[in-house]
Amino acid sequence: MSELKKPVFKPNREFAAQARIKNMCEYNALMDWAKEDYEGFWDHFAKEKITWMQPYHTVLDESNAPFVKWFEGGKLNVSVQCIDRHLDTRKNKAAIIFEGDRGDNQVITYRELYYNVNRFANMLKNNFGVQKGDRVVIYMPMIPEAAYAMLACARIGAIHSIVFGGFSAEALRDRIEDAQAKVVITADGAFRKDKPYMLKPVVDEALKGTSVVEKVCVVERNGEDVTWVAGRDYSYNELIKNQSVTCSPEPMESEEPLFLLYTSGSTGKPKGVQHNQAGYILWAQMTMEWVFDVKENDTYWCTADVGWITGHTYIVYGPLAMGATTVMFEGVPTYPDAGRPWKMVEEYKINQFYTAPTAIRVLHKSGEHEPAKYDLSSLKVLGTVGEPIDPPAWKWYYEAIGGGKCAIVDTYWQTETGGHIVSPLPGATPIKPACATLPLPGIMGEILDPQSGEKVGVGESGYMCVVRPWPSQIRGIWGDPERFVKSYYGDVKKDGKPVYFTGDGALYDEDGYITITGRTDDVINVSGHRMGTAEVEAAIKKHPNVAEVAVVGKPHEIKGEGIFAYVVLKGEDTVSEEMEMVKEINNVIKKEIGNIALCDDVIFVPGLPKTRSGKIMRRILRAIAKGEAITQDTSTLEDPSVVQAIESAVNSCKM
Ligand code: PRX
């Protein structure tokens, strides 16, 4: 219990005085309002925040739970929410500030964004035949055209599905096929560390062997040669020239889909998480306002990639919905040196900076003294996301970057939650290092005992749940309603009713603060990227010499977790070529998933620890990977001697 005791840092008083939520009384008042009149609370904000084309008649319909409906009867357009409604007051305000890898930059005002998105939307309709409800896959680098593409889809009611640019051709093809996308938007490539890299060839490879995609739109960014398939591939740069700068927005029902985003689960097949219109954009905007407390003249920078949910909600939709200035960065934070982000903070006078613990660890390790070279006094709020942050990284972030005066908002959420669910409020919540603190107002987040469904006591592990539906929650898994129910509503019941379970374990401390302890399922978190062990195993099994494989996570100094694979080979003589096999296995992973899933350790073992019914005892494998003593009873294993053999294989690799 003593390790639960953490130092407490109170909000900066000057900052708190001007914050939207100024103290814990205001936080508690909002929470009490939501508890006493849940629908009234959301009704108030939906009316205040959203520019409706047609008012809704019902705030929340739970009659078919867990398939819920928010703001039924209402119509809106998310691109109007993000652009058009700002034109009266903010037309010349920077909407997006883009900094390229090589230091080139562009400022896109709200008026220019309006024109660019409308042109893009017209091009999708006129040249690519995209209609409302069609799925469009976006496989793009971090350039403004990625944001235009998202908003253009939103404008015409098409459903975008962004695939992170680090995924391989196979992974891209799987996602294209699952969504049955008829158009892919990509770029020739972009720049990384001053060198061009390519995306279009990956699309070409992905489209071999699938006929769902009719047309490919190619943004020319790095100017490298690419292959053009006649009748399929078209240049954005050519087509965009002739498009009209007006495009009337499609009135969308509150519960029509806005986008899909594939994420890992506990099976080999990624899930197409579906988010709909009104509830998603409402919470994206509210959390931007509450958690980052962005003000009219602020410049906000989130370093994520649009390929992940953080890029969706907190680079594009949230900031633009509230009329903020959002920075988009193409490069990597350590190039040309680990002072790059701090140089950008100084140059753009960044006020809110949001990144992942992995980036903080890398920047700390490779450039501890870099921040001191720059003027970081513009910073007001620092955010972290995606994985637990360790206290040393937190301390450096707080002191060296925030100068001890900025709140750190440790935002806990997921692809499925659409926006933050547990996070400090920078002007109100006293913070503790590496602690996500309290559920946000309106979010009924509780740590429950999975057996009894009761709230757990201080220091007891439980499951992080949300016991009432909320507007930005996942609406379904594309094409698989059963998997949706089973994945999120199958594990925990409160008062006999299934509740949303995040998949994460958590603890309360003596102040009722929540600390997220990590996944309870077979999902690992590598550099803040979610990876299903089953997905990595399915890839490794494609190697013809692999008989069996089990993948577990192992703590990693920089990445948070690394991937550790136990591989049983077919035949005996192959073990002599272990080094070669490790390379080959990583090549298969590269081909099937992408570099983000490469293994840190591959250990060849004679067998896996299985129960008599054939279930792999992963807890044993996790303990061995971590170098911990095995406390489980191994007598129930089919072959207990295998444990010793695995331990000696691991130990001989350490030597
Ligand atoms: O395990 C939790 C971890 O990241 C998972 C969600 O991953 P993804 O859907 O890819 O979204 C990442 C960006 C929101 C969660 O189930 N996670 C996220 N934020 C935190 C976290 N773990 C600890 N602390 C956080 N602040």
Side-chain angles (χ1 to χ4, degrees), residues 8-16 18-19 21 290-293 351-355 360 378-384 389 394 397-399 401-411 423-435 437:
V8 182
F9 298 82
K10 292 208 174 115
N12 175 325
R13 281 166 73 173
E14 225 178 293
F15 178 85
Q18 56 81 64
I21 301 179
W290 283 349
V291 175
F292 296 116
D293 208 54
N351 305 107
Q352 296 83 14
F353 178 73
Y354 190 31
T355 197
I360 299 168
S378 57
L379 288 170
K380 296 192 279 191
V381 179
L382 301 173
T384 80
I389 179 165
W394 193 96
Y397 201 32
Y398 189 72
E399 289 169 1
I401 311 305
K405 70 174 175 55
C406 300
I408 294 187
V409 288
D410 182 345
T411 62
S423 170
L425 295 165
T429 321
I431 51 173
K432 301 183 188 185
C435 177
T437 72

Side-chain angles (χ1 to χ4, degrees), residues 93-384:
K93 175 174 175 173
I96 298 175
I97 295 178
F98 169 70
E99 165 134 333
D101 173 72
R102 295 160 307 160
D104 48 316
N105 54 30
Q106 273 183 63
V107 176
I108 299 118
T109 63
Y110 272 93
R111 184 167 43 95
E112 286 166 328
L113 183 64
Y114 173 77
Y115 292 153
N116 292 338
V117 168
N118 284 342
R119 283 198 198 100
F120 210 123
N122 285 325
M123 177 191 72
L124 289 179
K125 283 202 288 197
N126 301 336
N127 301 89
F128 294 91
V130 177
Q131 293 174 356
K132 179 176 166 179
D134 285 344
R135 271 80 59 211
V136 172
V137 161
I138 300 176
Y139 186 68
M140 290 277 269
M142 281 293 291
I143 54 176
E145 288 77 5
Y148 307 159
M150 295 163 76
L151 291 158
C153 287
R155 193 154 190 95
I156 62 176
I159 305 167
H160 63 71
S161 169
I162 308 191
V163 179
F164 172 61
F167 277 116
S168 69
E170 303 284 330
L172 176 60
R173 185 190 303 132
D174 288 347
R175 286 158 178 77
I176 288 171
E177 290 200 321
D178 193 81
Q180 292 286 297
K182 69 191 249 192
V183 169
V184 175
I185 303 170
T186 188
D188 45 7
F191 298 96
R192 189 185 297 128
K193 298 190 181 179
D194 218 9
K195 293 196 178 63
Y197 73 91
M198 303 306 289
L199 289 175
K200 172 67 165 57
V202 186
V203 175
D204 292 335
E205 185 60 31
L207 297 189
K208 280 184 197 154
T210 176
S211 54
V212 288
V213 171
E214 293 164 14
K215 290 195 165 106
V216 178
C217 171
V218 186
V219 178
E220 292 167 60
R221 164 71 185 150
N222 65 15
E224 296 291 305
D225 282 344
V226 290
T227 314
W228 295 88
V229 175
R232 188 194 75 182
D233 302 346
Y234 296 87
S235 160
Y236 159 87
N237 306 55
E238 284 306 313
L239 293 178
I240 205 73
K241 289 180 195 156
N242 303 322
Q243 307 295 336
S244 158
V245 295
T246 57
C247 171
S248 78
E250 187 71 33
M252 299 297 291
E253 285 175 26
S254 296
E255 288 294 353
E256 284 180 312
L258 175 65
F259 67 82
L260 308 179
L261 183 57
Y262 283 82
T263 189
S264 298
S266 44
T267 73
K269 190 175 173 323
K271 309 182 263 200
V273 171
Q274 180 185 328
H275 281 289
N276 291 356
Q277 313 274 333
Y280 171 79
I281 199 68
L282 174 65
W283 191 234
Q285 182 175 332
M286 287 172 69
T287 47
M288 269 307 294
E289 293 174 358
W290 283 349
V291 175
F292 296 116
D293 208 54
V294 176
K295 293 286 164 54
E296 191 60 42
N297 293 318
D298 284 354
T299 304
Y300 156 91
W301 180 19
C302 164
T303 68
D305 188 286
V306 287
W308 308 112
I309 191 69
T310 309
H312 285 60
T313 311
Y314 297 112
I315 294 179
V316 179
Y317 287 119
L320 297 177
M322 72 166 294
T325 298
T326 179
V327 173
M328 252 182 122
F329 177 47
E330 177 189 36
V332 292
T334 48
Y335 187 83
D337 57 47
R340 178 82 182 261
W342 320 129
K343 184 166 180 272
M344 283 176 63
V345 168
E346 177 179 289
E347 275 176 15
Y348 295 109
K349 304 241 169 297
I350 302 287
N351 305 107
Q352 296 83 14
F353 178 73
Y354 190 31
T355 197
T358 293
I360 299 168
R361 287 190 287 265
V362 170
L363 291 165
H364 181 194
K365 200 165 178 206
S366 49
E368 185 173 359
H369 303 295
E370 288 294 326
K373 297 183 188 163
Y374 300 95
D375 176 7
L376 306 181
S377 60
S378 57
L379 288 170
K380 296 192 279 191
V381 179
L382 301 173
T384 80

